[in-house]
Amino acid sequence: MCQAGTELYARALREGRVRREDTAGIPCLIDFGLLHPNIEDMHWLEPVAPAVALHRLLRNVEDHIADERRREVRLAEAFEPLMRIDGRHTAPAQASSITVLSGKPRINSAISEAMTDATLELLTIQPNIGRSSADEATALERDRALLDRGARIRTLYPHTMRHSMSIIARYEELTGDIEVRTLDEVTSRLIVIDRTVAFIPAARDRTLALEVRQPALIDYFFVTFDRLWRLATPMYPEAVQPPTLNGITPRQRAIAALLIEGHTDTAIAERLGMNVRTARVHIAKLATTLGSESRAQLGYLIGQSGILKQES
């Protein structure tokens, strides 16, 4: 940690918080997990207790014994004067039930840390692929290690991902208890590990996330996933094609349901995980099948056709 970072962290410990703009040019404080956003006001950053931060930084010391022993000494020396500061404003030593994670490196680190101790299952909802090759490689190694410990993996994607070669190839690289299913529309990204910890996004650009360990919320996430899972169509290891009714595909029925709710083409595309051009192609095909000549007439014909009742 640089001198400027040490001084700002010490001030945060004394005052209980610092403004986000104060950390400009000092990314180490957030990367090291020493400061995290206030869950009620993201413009403020709150300090993590030095003892807690030190424990996290030393978590992987056994994996790199020779190098990490020297790092342990340096960290202890750096934190020793900080731990003498009055810590009245720091969070208690036990883990918070909801923690704000800032920055993709910190988020990925927290997920990896949680999965290291997992032995039961990983449940995930993935609205889209949207990961870099490096992040995907890390996630693949995490999943492989989890399966090697005898755990299971269940993943939900939108139907638009059913024919993604990258997704199919990903699961073909893994061996173990894995199942993948798809739905017309899924929720935002969700990760539930061993029914003890969950991760959900806190910003649309995925630079903020919440680590949740509150039992009631974990149970809610699990039940939500389970109900969506029961409604979903198998994709891997054995794919089942969603049925077509009266020439209307499942994807077109999903679009029809959103059309009669008044959503725009852009909103429909976003919710169903496709681009606007593809959404408009499906809308045009739906209009042709139902014999519609206008947007207003299409809504009426959808209601009269009974295709949404057939879906339910």
Side-chain angles (χ1 to χ4, degrees):
M1 185 164 54
C2 63
Q3 183 62 32
T6 301
E7 293 175 356
L8 184 58
Y9 180 48
R11 177 157 69 86
L13 290 171
R14 294 190 187 96
E15 300 176 3
R17 62 180 185 174
V18 294
R19 288 192 171 277
R20 180 181 288 273
E21 55 261 35
D22 293 343
T23 64
I26 317 176
C28 61
L29 292 176
I30 295 177
D31 292 344
F32 288 171
L34 302 181
L35 298 177
H36 62 82
N38 181 295
I39 195 169
E40 296 180 352
D41 187 349
M42 297 294 182
H43 294 94
W44 289 97
L45 299 175
E46 297 178 341
V48 173
V52 175
L54 179 59
H55 172 74
R56 288 176 177 171
L57 290 169
L58 297 176
R59 180 69 184 267
N60 297 321
V61 66
E62 293 181 358
D63 296 334
H64 308 281
I65 297 296
D67 293 338
E68 294 299 314
R69 288 298 182 190
R70 291 190 289 270
R71 183 167 179 255
E72 180 180 0
V73 172
R74 294 196 300 270
L75 286 168
E77 291 175 347
F79 275 82
E80 192 276 333
L82 297 170
M83 295 174 70
R84 293 199 300 266
I85 298 173
D86 183 358
R88 289 174 297 175
H89 300 295
T90 61
Q94 63 270 25
S96 170
S97 61
I98 301 179
T99 303
V100 180
L101 305 173
S102 181
K104 292 184 179 180
R106 178 75 189 99
I107 295 170
N108 286 331
S109 175
I111 294 173
S112 296
E113 183 177 325
M115 286 187 61
T116 297
D117 300 324
T119 58
L120 178 63
E121 67 182 1
L122 169 66
L123 309 177
T124 67
I125 296 177
Q126 301 288 353
N128 50 59
I129 303 174
R131 281 197 290 222
S132 67
S133 57
D135 288 343
E136 176 57 29
T138 300
L140 196 63
E141 286 304 310
R142 287 195 306 243
D143 290 356
R144 184 175 288 117
L146 181 67
L147 292 166
D148 289 344
R149 293 195 295 274
R152 69 176 190 169
I153 295 177
R154 300 291 183 264
T155 303
L156 281 170
Y157 290 101
H159 282 330
T160 50
M161 302 297 174
R162 288 186 67 84
H163 303 294
S164 169
M165 296 307 298
S166 61
I167 290 180
I168 295 172
R170 179 190 198 282
Y171 289 102
E172 289 178 343
E173 290 188 45
L174 298 171
T175 302
D177 188 355
I178 315 167
E179 286 188 43
V180 181
R181 296 184 181 184
T182 64
L183 284 167
D184 284 321
E185 184 179 358
V186 298
T187 66
S188 297
R189 193 175 309 274
L190 170 67
I191 298 174
V192 181
I193 302 171
D194 275 8
R195 305 187 197 180
T196 58
V197 57
F199 296 87
I200 59 175
R204 292 181 65 86
D205 62 0
R206 296 171 55 195
T207 58
L208 287 176
L210 298 183
E211 178 180 334
V212 181
R213 294 181 180 272
Q214 211 287 328
L217 289 175
I218 296 296
D219 185 61
Y220 176 83
F221 293 144
F222 172 78
V223 171
T224 299
F225 181 92
D226 186 60
R227 291 180 179 176
L228 292 175
W229 182 257
R230 293 173 185 275
L231 296 171
T233 302
M235 170 183 168
Y236 181 90
E238 294 185 9
V240 175
Q241 296 303 319
T244 297
L245 300 175
N246 298 332
I248 307 296
T249 67
R251 189 174 302 178
Q252 289 168 0
R253 292 200 302 275
I255 290 174
L258 295 174
L259 277 172
I260 64 174
E261 290 177 8
H263 294 287
T264 65
D265 294 354
T266 300
I268 290 172
E270 182 177 351
R271 289 184 58 167
L272 298 182
M274 62 180 71
N275 61 50
V276 176
R277 180 178 298 177
T278 301
R280 287 171 177 161
V281 168
H282 283 294
I283 292 171
K285 290 180 179 178
L286 181 63
T288 299
T289 301
L290 295 179
S292 171
E293 298 179 356
S294 68
R295 185 87 169 207
Q297 186 184 26
L298 178 57
Y300 171 78
L301 292 175
I302 289 171
Q304 291 295 309
S305 67
I307 59 175
L308 300 183
K309 292 180 180 180
Q310 288 178 323
E311 182 182 25
S312 59

PDB file of all heavy atoms in Angstrom, residues 188-208:
ATOM      1  N   SER A 188     -31.904 -10.588 -13.391  1.00  0.00           N
ATOM      2  CA  SER A 188     -30.518 -10.119 -13.439  1.00  0.00           C
ATOM      3  C   SER A 188     -29.592 -11.217 -12.914  1.00  0.00           C
ATOM      4  O   SER A 188     -30.044 -12.207 -12.340  1.00  0.00           O
ATOM      5  CB  SER A 188     -30.359  -8.858 -12.589  1.00  0.00           C
ATOM      6  OG  SER A 188     -31.143  -7.803 -13.090  1.00  0.00           O
ATOM      7  N   ARG A 189     -28.312 -11.020 -13.101  1.00  0.00           N
ATOM      8  CA  ARG A 189     -27.330 -12.021 -12.710  1.00  0.00           C
ATOM      9  C   ARG A 189     -27.467 -12.392 -11.225  1.00  0.00           C
ATOM     10  O   ARG A 189     -27.655 -11.527 -10.367  1.00  0.00           O
ATOM     11  CB  ARG A 189     -25.920 -11.488 -12.967  1.00  0.00           C
ATOM     12  CG  ARG A 189     -24.819 -12.555 -12.905  1.00  0.00           C
ATOM     13  CD  ARG A 189     -23.493 -11.929 -13.291  1.00  0.00           C
ATOM     14  NE  ARG A 189     -23.613 -11.210 -14.556  1.00  0.00           N
ATOM     15  CZ  ARG A 189     -23.484 -11.751 -15.750  1.00  0.00           C
ATOM     16  NH1 ARG A 189     -23.231 -12.968 -15.847  1.00  0.00           N
ATOM     17  NH2 ARG A 189     -23.605 -11.039 -16.845  1.00  0.00           N
ATOM     18  N   LEU A 190     -27.381 -13.675 -10.945  1.00  0.00           N
ATOM     19  CA  LEU A 190     -27.484 -14.167  -9.573  1.00  0.00           C
ATOM     20  C   LEU A 190     -26.539 -15.338  -9.400  1.00  0.00           C
ATOM     21  O   LEU A 190     -26.456 -16.221 -10.254  1.00  0.00           O
ATOM     22  CB  LEU A 190     -28.917 -14.613  -9.268  1.00  0.00           C
ATOM     23  CG  LEU A 190     -29.138 -15.370  -7.943  1.00  0.00           C
ATOM     24  CD1 LEU A 190     -28.900 -14.449  -6.750  1.00  0.00           C
ATOM     25  CD2 LEU A 190     -30.536 -15.968  -7.880  1.00  0.00           C
ATOM     26  N   ILE A 191     -25.813 -15.349  -8.284  1.00  0.00           N
ATOM     27  CA  ILE A 191     -24.941 -16.470  -7.923  1.00  0.00           C
ATOM     28  C   ILE A 191     -25.275 -16.859  -6.486  1.00  0.00           C
ATOM     29  O   ILE A 191     -25.238 -16.007  -5.595  1.00  0.00           O
ATOM     30  CB  ILE A 191     -23.450 -16.086  -8.034  1.00  0.00           C
ATOM     31  CG1 ILE A 191     -23.087 -15.721  -9.471  1.00  0.00           C
ATOM     32  CG2 ILE A 191     -22.557 -17.222  -7.532  1.00  0.00           C
ATOM     33  CD1 ILE A 191     -21.672 -15.185  -9.635  1.00  0.00           C
ATOM     34  N   VAL A 192     -25.622 -18.118  -6.271  1.00  0.00           N
ATOM     35  CA  VAL A 192     -25.887 -18.622  -4.918  1.00  0.00           C
ATOM     36  C   VAL A 192     -24.961 -19.804  -4.680  1.00  0.00           C
ATOM     37  O   VAL A 192     -24.973 -20.778  -5.444  1.00  0.00           O
ATOM     38  CB  VAL A 192     -27.354 -19.056  -4.736  1.00  0.00           C
ATOM     39  CG1 VAL A 192     -27.578 -19.555  -3.304  1.00  0.00           C
ATOM     40  CG2 VAL A 192     -28.301 -17.911  -5.057  1.00  0.00           C
ATOM     41  N   ILE A 193     -24.159 -19.729  -3.621  1.00  0.00           N
ATOM     42  CA  ILE A 193     -23.159 -20.755  -3.329  1.00  0.00           C
ATOM     43  C   ILE A 193     -23.504 -21.454  -2.023  1.00  0.00           C
ATOM     44  O   ILE A 193     -23.579 -20.815  -0.964  1.00  0.00           O
ATOM     45  CB  ILE A 193     -21.748 -20.132  -3.242  1.00  0.00           C
ATOM     46  CG1 ILE A 193     -21.406 -19.414  -4.556  1.00  0.00           C
ATOM     47  CG2 ILE A 193     -20.709 -21.201  -2.916  1.00  0.00           C
ATOM     48  CD1 ILE A 193     -20.140 -18.583  -4.502  1.00  0.00           C
ATOM     49  N   ASP A 194     -23.726 -22.755  -2.113  1.00  0.00           N
ATOM     50  CA  ASP A 194     -23.985 -23.593  -0.929  1.00  0.00           C
ATOM     51  C   ASP A 194     -25.131 -23.085  -0.061  1.00  0.00           C
ATOM     52  O   ASP A 194     -25.189 -23.383   1.139  1.00  0.00           O
ATOM     53  CB  ASP A 194     -22.719 -23.731  -0.079  1.00  0.00           C
ATOM     54  CG  ASP A 194     -21.823 -24.862  -0.564  1.00  0.00           C
ATOM     55  OD1 ASP A 194     -22.121 -25.427  -1.631  1.00  0.00           O
ATOM     56  OD2 ASP A 194     -20.844 -25.168   0.120  1.00  0.00           O
ATOM     57  N   ARG A 195     -26.011 -22.270  -0.640  1.00  0.00           N
ATOM     58  CA  ARG A 195     -27.157 -21.711   0.095  1.00  0.00           C
ATOM     59  C   ARG A 195     -26.721 -20.943   1.354  1.00  0.00           C
ATOM     60  O   ARG A 195     -27.462 -20.826   2.326  1.00  0.00           O
ATOM     61  CB  ARG A 195     -28.158 -22.812   0.485  1.00  0.00           C
ATOM     62  CG  ARG A 195     -28.641 -23.629  -0.704  1.00  0.00           C
ATOM     63  CD  ARG A 195     -29.752 -24.586  -0.332  1.00  0.00           C
ATOM     64  NE  ARG A 195     -29.889 -25.607  -1.376  1.00  0.00           N
ATOM     65  CZ  ARG A 195     -30.774 -26.595  -1.350  1.00  0.00           C
ATOM     66  NH1 ARG A 195     -31.612 -26.692  -0.325  1.00  0.00           N
ATOM     67  NH2 ARG A 195     -30.827 -27.482  -2.331  1.00  0.00           N
ATOM     68  N   THR A 196     -25.508 -20.393   1.311  1.00  0.00           N
ATOM     69  CA  THR A 196     -25.005 -19.601   2.435  1.00  0.00           C
ATOM     70  C   THR A 196     -24.584 -18.200   2.021  1.00  0.00           C
ATOM     71  O   THR A 196     -24.579 -17.292   2.849  1.00  0.00           O
ATOM     72  CB  THR A 196     -23.799 -20.293   3.100  1.00  0.00           C
ATOM     73  OG1 THR A 196     -22.763 -20.486   2.121  1.00  0.00           O
ATOM     74  CG2 THR A 196     -24.193 -21.646   3.675  1.00  0.00           C
ATOM     75  N   VAL A 197     -24.222 -18.006   0.763  1.00  0.00           N
ATOM     76  CA  VAL A 197     -23.785 -16.692   0.293  1.00  0.00           C
ATOM     77  C   VAL A 197     -24.281 -16.497  -1.138  1.00  0.00           C
ATOM     78  O   VAL A 197     -24.318 -17.451  -1.926  1.00  0.00           O
ATOM     79  CB  VAL A 197     -22.247 -16.551   0.359  1.00  0.00           C
ATOM     80  CG1 VAL A 197     -21.562 -17.648  -0.433  1.00  0.00           C
ATOM     81  CG2 VAL A 197     -21.803 -15.172  -0.133  1.00  0.00           C
ATOM     82  N   ALA A 198     -24.679 -15.267  -1.439  1.00  0.00           N
ATOM     83  CA  ALA A 198     -25.152 -14.935  -2.786  1.00  0.00           C
ATOM     84  C   ALA A 198     -24.493 -13.649  -3.252  1.00  0.00           C
ATOM     85  O   ALA A 198     -24.101 -12.799  -2.440  1.00  0.00           O
ATOM     86  CB  ALA A 198     -26.677 -14.787  -2.809  1.00  0.00           C
ATOM     87  N   PHE A 199     -24.394 -13.496  -4.570  1.00  0.00           N
ATOM     88  CA  PHE A 199     -23.854 -12.288  -5.175  1.00  0.00           C
ATOM     89  C   PHE A 199     -24.863 -11.779  -6.201  1.00  0.00           C
ATOM     90  O   PHE A 199     -25.324 -12.545  -7.051  1.00  0.00           O
ATOM     91  CB  PHE A 199     -22.513 -12.563  -5.851  1.00  0.00           C
ATOM     92  CG  PHE A 199     -21.425 -12.992  -4.906  1.00  0.00           C
ATOM     93  CD1 PHE A 199     -21.268 -14.336  -4.575  1.00  0.00           C
ATOM     94  CD2 PHE A 199     -20.586 -12.055  -4.319  1.00  0.00           C
ATOM     95  CE1 PHE A 199     -20.275 -14.739  -3.693  1.00  0.00           C
ATOM     96  CE2 PHE A 199     -19.587 -12.453  -3.435  1.00  0.00           C
ATOM     97  CZ  PHE A 199     -19.439 -13.791  -3.125  1.00  0.00           C
ATOM     98  N   ILE A 200     -25.207 -10.480  -6.099  1.00  0.00           N
ATOM     99  CA  ILE A 200     -26.123  -9.863  -7.049  1.00  0.00           C
ATOM    100  C   ILE A 200     -25.526  -8.526  -7.494  1.00  0.00           C
ATOM    101  O   ILE A 200     -24.762  -7.899  -6.744  1.00  0.00           O
ATOM    102  CB  ILE A 200     -27.521  -9.637  -6.439  1.00  0.00           C
ATOM    103  CG1 ILE A 200     -27.440  -8.725  -5.200  1.00  0.00           C
ATOM    104  CG2 ILE A 200     -28.188 -10.967  -6.092  1.00  0.00           C
ATOM    105  CD1 ILE A 200     -28.812  -8.365  -4.629  1.00  0.00           C
ATOM    106  N   PRO A 201     -25.856  -8.069  -8.707  1.00  0.00           N
ATOM    107  CA  PRO A 201     -25.304  -6.801  -9.185  1.00  0.00           C
ATOM    108  C   PRO A 201     -25.905  -5.610  -8.445  1.00  0.00           C
ATOM    109  O   PRO A 201     -27.069  -5.644  -8.031  1.00  0.00           O
ATOM    110  CB  PRO A 201     -25.680  -6.778 -10.661  1.00  0.00           C
ATOM    111  CG  PRO A 201     -26.886  -7.665 -10.752  1.00  0.00           C
ATOM    112  CD  PRO A 201     -26.702  -8.728  -9.727  1.00  0.00           C
ATOM    113  N   ALA A 202     -25.097  -4.560  -8.271  1.00  0.00           N
ATOM    114  CA  ALA A 202     -25.571  -3.320  -7.653  1.00  0.00           C
ATOM    115  C   ALA A 202     -25.418  -2.143  -8.606  1.00  0.00           C
ATOM    116  O   ALA A 202     -25.686  -1.009  -8.236  1.00  0.00           O
ATOM    117  CB  ALA A 202     -24.809  -3.048  -6.352  1.00  0.00           C
ATOM    118  N   ALA A 203     -24.965  -2.412  -9.837  1.00  0.00           N
ATOM    119  CA  ALA A 203     -24.828  -1.379 -10.867  1.00  0.00           C
ATOM    120  C   ALA A 203     -24.966  -2.048 -12.226  1.00  0.00           C
ATOM    121  O   ALA A 203     -24.527  -3.190 -12.409  1.00  0.00           O
ATOM    122  CB  ALA A 203     -23.485  -0.651 -10.751  1.00  0.00           C
ATOM    123  N   ARG A 204     -25.554  -1.345 -13.180  1.00  0.00           N
ATOM    124  CA  ARG A 204     -25.796  -1.935 -14.503  1.00  0.00           C
ATOM    125  C   ARG A 204     -24.495  -2.286 -15.222  1.00  0.00           C
ATOM    126  O   ARG A 204     -24.459  -3.224 -16.018  1.00  0.00           O
ATOM    127  CB  ARG A 204     -26.612  -0.972 -15.362  1.00  0.00           C
ATOM    128  CG  ARG A 204     -28.043  -0.786 -14.873  1.00  0.00           C
ATOM    129  CD  ARG A 204     -28.814   0.158 -15.786  1.00  0.00           C
ATOM    130  NE  ARG A 204     -28.993  -0.389 -17.110  1.00  0.00           N
ATOM    131  CZ  ARG A 204     -29.992  -1.194 -17.470  1.00  0.00           C
ATOM    132  NH1 ARG A 204     -30.905  -1.548 -16.572  1.00  0.00           N
ATOM    133  NH2 ARG A 204     -30.095  -1.645 -18.709  1.00  0.00           N
ATOM    134  N   ASP A 205     -23.396  -1.541 -14.954  1.00  0.00           N
ATOM    135  CA  ASP A 205     -22.133  -1.826 -15.626  1.00  0.00           C
ATOM    136  C   ASP A 205     -21.322  -2.899 -14.908  1.00  0.00           C
ATOM    137  O   ASP A 205     -20.180  -3.162 -15.250  1.00  0.00           O
ATOM    138  CB  ASP A 205     -21.303  -0.552 -15.781  1.00  0.00           C
ATOM    139  CG  ASP A 205     -20.921   0.063 -14.427  1.00  0.00           C
ATOM    140  OD1 ASP A 205     -21.293  -0.498 -13.375  1.00  0.00           O
ATOM    141  OD2 ASP A 205     -20.255   1.116 -14.432  1.00  0.00           O
ATOM    142  N   ARG A 206     -21.893  -3.506 -13.871  1.00  0.00           N
ATOM    143  CA  ARG A 206     -21.291  -4.621 -13.132  1.00  0.00           C
ATOM    144  C   ARG A 206     -20.010  -4.242 -12.414  1.00  0.00           C
ATOM    145  O   ARG A 206     -19.168  -5.087 -12.106  1.00  0.00           O
ATOM    146  CB  ARG A 206     -21.034  -5.807 -14.076  1.00  0.00           C
ATOM    147  CG  ARG A 206     -22.302  -6.403 -14.658  1.00  0.00           C
ATOM    148  CD  ARG A 206     -22.001  -7.413 -15.739  1.00  0.00           C
ATOM    149  NE  ARG A 206     -21.112  -8.453 -15.288  1.00  0.00           N
ATOM    150  CZ  ARG A 206     -20.474  -9.294 -16.093  1.00  0.00           C
ATOM    151  NH1 ARG A 206     -20.643  -9.183 -17.406  1.00  0.00           N
ATOM    152  NH2 ARG A 206     -19.684 -10.232 -15.602  1.00  0.00           N
ATOM    153  N   THR A 207     -19.838  -2.953 -12.089  1.00  0.00           N
ATOM    154  CA  THR A 207     -18.674  -2.526 -11.312  1.00  0.00           C
ATOM    155  C   THR A 207     -18.966  -2.523  -9.821  1.00  0.00           C
ATOM    156  O   THR A 207     -18.055  -2.321  -9.019  1.00  0.00           O
ATOM    157  CB  THR A 207     -18.217  -1.123 -11.742  1.00  0.00           C
ATOM    158  OG1 THR A 207     -19.312  -0.202 -11.571  1.00  0.00           O
ATOM    159  CG2 THR A 207     -17.773  -1.119 -13.193  1.00  0.00           C
ATOM    160  N   LEU A 208     -20.218  -2.721  -9.442  1.00  0.00           N
ATOM    161  CA  LEU A 208     -20.603  -2.835  -8.035  1.00  0.00           C
ATOM    162  C   LEU A 208     -21.446  -4.091  -7.864  1.00  0.00           C
ATOM    163  O   LEU A 208     -22.254  -4.435  -8.729  1.00  0.00           O
ATOM    164  CB  LEU A 208     -21.411  -1.617  -7.570  1.00  0.00           C
ATOM    165  CG  LEU A 208     -20.687  -0.287  -7.366  1.00  0.00           C
ATOM    166  CD1 LEU A 208     -21.703   0.794  -7.001  1.00  0.00           C
ATOM    167  CD2 LEU A 208     -19.630  -0.397  -6.278  1.00  0.00           C
TER     168      LEU A 208
END
